[in-house]
Amino acid sequence: MSEFRSGFVCFVGRPNTGKSTLTNALVGEKVAITSNRPQTTRHRIRGIVHRPDFQIVLVDTPGLHRPRTLLGQRLNDLVKDTYSEVDVIGLCIPADEKIGPGDRWILEQIRAVAPRTTLVVVVTKIDKITKDRIAEQLLAVSELVGPDVDIVPVSAVKAEQLDVLTNVLVGKLQPGPAFYPDGELTDEPEETLMAELIREAALEGVRDELPHSLAVVIDEVEERSNRPEDDPLIDVRAILYVERDSQKGIVIGKGGARLREVGTAARTQIEKLLGTKVYLELRVKVAKNWQRDPKQLGKLGF
């Protein structure tokens, strides 16, 4: 049998290039929230891919972008710290969009910050376009990164070429021990995952002004007392922070309808995560301009 290999792989790219969807597809479970809105990911979620002969630890970072706020700057710093700590960087470029200045800028950042880290390019979302268009994009990507970099086209949604990508990544890792016990899929605390699931539900179907302005903090998690042993219930109380009163109205909706929808969707996901019934209580508060205020950023966990 060949030697056991292990290591850390980080997917980077412009916001909304399918990094979180790819992480979830490789792990086989939902460990990173996904949304069709940029800047959905704010934490380094680690997903763990286990096989008998290897273990890949996936580090899912926020999309790298030119920062406009203190939050943006902190997210970028988080990404750059990650670059130099991993064994392989997977640069995600979507198949259905032409290579743009954003992609070139990220490649420059990678080469400046982590020149010695192995680079692999993942061309995502190949299910969205024809074979001819995929071939054109692969050629364009090859011109961008040069002949020495492996390029793997995948569709995370349709599970196409994921085995090929896994084999390429494993081939870049050194022999080494497993970092996590078999069966563990992420090392994120449950509270972080719960907050992310609530934020994902709240971002679903809202207007563009909300994504950056929304933060979720889990206030309390406790098991309900006096329940039968075979039917436990966990009370989860969470606060959704927005920056303006108008945004509070958007999240709550007419007569509280929108917030109830968010609660129902998030509760379903949290029950899956915890494996037990959950009573979820959501409140919405305004924290004016929290993205630009160092004190408030710290309080909200950034």
Side-chain angles (χ1 to χ4, degrees):
M1 184 177 150
S2 62
E3 272 185 292
F4 191 91
R5 289 173 183 268
S6 61
F8 291 79
V9 174
C10 160
F11 291 132
V12 302
R14 285 186 287 112
N16 206 18
T17 51
K19 300 180 293 294
S20 297
T21 308
L22 185 58
T23 296
N24 292 337
L26 289 170
V27 173
E29 287 272 342
K30 183 166 188 162
V31 292
I33 71 169
T34 57
S35 151
N36 57 2
R37 307 192 160 276
Q39 271 216 288
T40 303
T41 307
R42 287 210 184 126
H43 294 275
R44 281 192 278 191
I45 307 272
R46 290 182 167 84
I48 304 152
V49 185
H50 300 271
R51 296 288 185 279
D53 52 345
F54 69 81
Q55 185 180 84
I56 301 175
V57 184
L58 299 171
V59 185
D60 182 44
T61 59
L64 196 61
H65 59 292
R66 294 175 196 272
R68 289 193 297 275
T69 62
L70 182 59
L71 172 66
Q73 187 56 58
R74 288 199 179 169
L75 292 178
N76 271 6
D77 291 345
L78 184 76
V79 179
K80 288 179 182 174
D81 286 348
T82 307
Y83 283 2
S84 45
E85 294 165 6
V86 297
D87 302 291
V88 181
I89 294 173
L91 172 59
C92 294
I93 296 178
D96 61 339
E97 293 173 39
K98 280 198 159 39
I99 292 168
D103 301 303
R104 291 191 185 89
W105 182 75
I106 288 168
L107 184 61
E108 279 166 26
Q109 298 290 315
I110 293 170
R111 291 197 158 145
V113 178
R116 287 190 294 282
T117 306
T118 302
L119 180 67
V120 170
V121 179
V122 188
V123 176
T124 56
K125 308 185 184 187
I126 61 169
D127 54 294
K128 292 192 161 191
I129 58 170
T130 62
K131 290 222 164 33
D132 291 351
R133 293 261 315 279
I134 294 168
E136 279 171 31
Q137 185 73 329
L138 293 177
L139 199 62
V141 169
S142 177
E143 283 169 13
L144 175 72
V145 295
D148 301 332
V149 176
D150 283 324
I151 301 166
V152 187
V154 304
S155 165
V157 174
K158 298 272 175 75
E160 284 175 44
Q161 293 263 107
L162 293 181
D163 290 351
V164 176
L165 176 60
T166 304
N167 290 338
V168 168
L169 295 175
V170 172
K172 309 284 184 197
L173 302 180
Q174 297 298 317
F179 293 98
Y180 292 92
D182 203 18
E184 197 167 313
L185 299 178
T186 178
D187 69 349
E188 280 296 314
E190 279 177 347
E191 285 197 9
T192 303
L193 289 171
M194 284 192 268
E196 290 284 272
L197 290 167
I198 293 166
R199 203 162 69 88
E200 178 181 46
L203 287 178
E204 208 46 58
V206 294
R207 293 205 293 277
D208 292 341
E209 66 167 278
L210 199 56
H212 307 279
S213 307
L214 184 68
V216 178
V217 173
I218 302 293
D219 202 27
E220 203 174 14
V221 181
E222 59 182 1
E223 200 163 328
R224 181 85 58 93
S225 53
N226 307 324
R227 294 277 299 183
E229 256 181 51
D230 59 351
D231 189 23
L233 178 73
I234 290 179
D235 287 308
V236 178
R237 293 178 187 83
I239 301 169
L240 287 76
Y241 286 96
V242 291
E243 293 192 304
R244 295 193 290 284
D245 287 322
S246 61
Q247 294 169 336
K248 185 175 178 178
I250 293 171
V251 176
I252 293 173
K254 199 172 180 182
R258 171 114 191 81
L259 193 60
R260 281 195 294 277
E261 278 173 26
V262 170
T264 304
R267 191 187 72 241
T268 308
Q269 294 285 350
I270 291 170
E271 286 180 339
K272 270 189 207 161
L273 174 72
L274 301 181
T276 180
K277 269 193 208 154
V278 167
Y279 173 79
L280 179 61
E281 182 186 299
L282 301 179
R283 285 182 298 151
V284 184
K285 288 187 175 179
V286 177
K288 287 215 164 22
N289 296 326
W290 65 263
Q291 293 186 79
R292 296 170 195 279
D293 179 344
K295 241 200 203 127
Q296 297 204 77
L297 277 175
K299 208 170 82 176
L300 296 177
F302 297 107

